[in-house]
Amino acid sequence: MNATSLRIPTSVTRWLAETPAEAPVTVLLRHSARGPLPDGDAANAVPLTTEGANLACHLGAMLGTRLQALHVSPLRRCVETAEALRFGAGINIPIVPDRSLGDPGIYVTDSGLAQANWEQLGHERVMRYLVSGTEPLPGMADPGPAARLLVRHMMASAGNRSGLHLFVTHDSVVTATAAHLLGEPFERDDWPWYLEGAFFWLQGTQTATAYRDFCRRVDEAL
């Protein structure tokens, strides 16, 4: 998605309307629009663009008082996304840093070794591994169990509080988690746009996962 086509993704509008208002709903959300990423650690400090901040404010206004919690990857663009969401919603709730969402994230066990994967393989090949790899790359977790661990963590954080519990993160975390919970071999076109995410909630003894046009329920809680 380029700067001229920035908008709230239609999948987010859809699942905001279709998820239950009377239950806790956790949302694993990609941050808003940012500038280009340089090589190396400097990429961690890249901020949102003005358009990205405005778009997150707009989404926050859509959420309003339904927004109950904000957890973030500690990287700047995720924190700024949460600040804009909170401002747009017009509510004063804490922004909680969560390193399972980034720096290093649930899929990384050793930051140095994992960074070497990105440098040697490139972002797209690492993403393909996270979606369908059968053995962990150096410095990285087994993605299937890690995806379920992250969703359990999010749902435990939400507890019994009805409303939306947002976890602001990065495209790799959203893609891998949604792919493993839905059992779908996501390709490049399935990666999330800015402010697009996966939704998780309980329906009786079933756990529901929704992302874009995909929705799956499993017979028991994760």
Side-chain angles (χ1 to χ4, degrees), residues 7-187:
R7 55 179 171 77
I8 304 300
T10 55
S11 66
V12 170
T13 304
R14 173 191 174 181
W15 292 113
L16 286 175
E18 294 189 20
T19 50
E22 71 283 359
V25 177
T26 61
V27 186
L28 190 61
L29 189 76
R30 189 187 180 191
H31 58 75
S32 195
R34 50 147 175 82
L37 295 180
D39 293 333
D41 292 342
N44 292 348
V46 171
L48 296 186
T49 61
T50 299
E51 294 82 3
N54 290 338
L55 190 69
C57 281
H58 177 48
L59 177 57
M62 291 173 57
L63 304 180
T65 57
R66 193 178 173 195
L67 179 60
Q68 292 295 303
L70 284 165
H71 300 254
V72 298
S73 159
L75 271 63
R76 179 176 177 179
R77 54 191 175 271
C78 294
V79 175
E80 290 181 348
T81 297
E83 291 171 343
L85 288 166
R86 181 173 64 179
F87 181 82
I91 57 176
N92 185 21
I93 57 175
I95 294 171
V96 182
D98 186 340
R99 296 190 71 205
S100 66
L101 302 172
D103 194 31
I106 193 71
Y107 297 102
V108 174
T109 59
D110 183 299
S111 296
L113 291 174
Q115 180 62 32
N117 295 327
W118 264 276
E119 293 172 355
Q120 294 167 12
L121 301 175
H123 187 58
E124 185 160 348
R125 289 181 66 188
V126 173
M127 289 279 276
R128 288 181 181 276
Y129 159 77
L130 288 173
V131 168
S132 58
T134 57
E135 295 184 4
L137 290 172
M140 303 189 75
D142 187 340
R148 287 163 177 79
L149 179 62
L150 179 58
V151 175
R152 287 198 300 270
H153 165 65
M154 293 191 298
M155 297 182 81
S157 297
N160 295 320
R161 289 181 295 155
S162 298
L164 296 167
H165 301 257
L166 268 58
F167 294 77
V168 183
T169 187
H170 308 273
D171 59 351
S172 57
V173 177
V174 176
T175 304
T177 306
H180 286 283
L181 270 292
L182 290 165
E184 294 288 341
F186 287 155
E187 298 292 341

Side-chain angles (χ1 to χ4, degrees), residues 196-219:
E196 189 166 33
F199 292 67
F200 307 90
W201 69 98
L202 286 177
Q203 290 188 324
T205 60
Q206 293 185 315
T207 300
T209 301
Y211 176 73
R212 294 198 175 174
D213 292 330
F214 301 93
C215 187
R216 180 189 181 200
R217 294 168 177 81
V218 295
D219 288 336

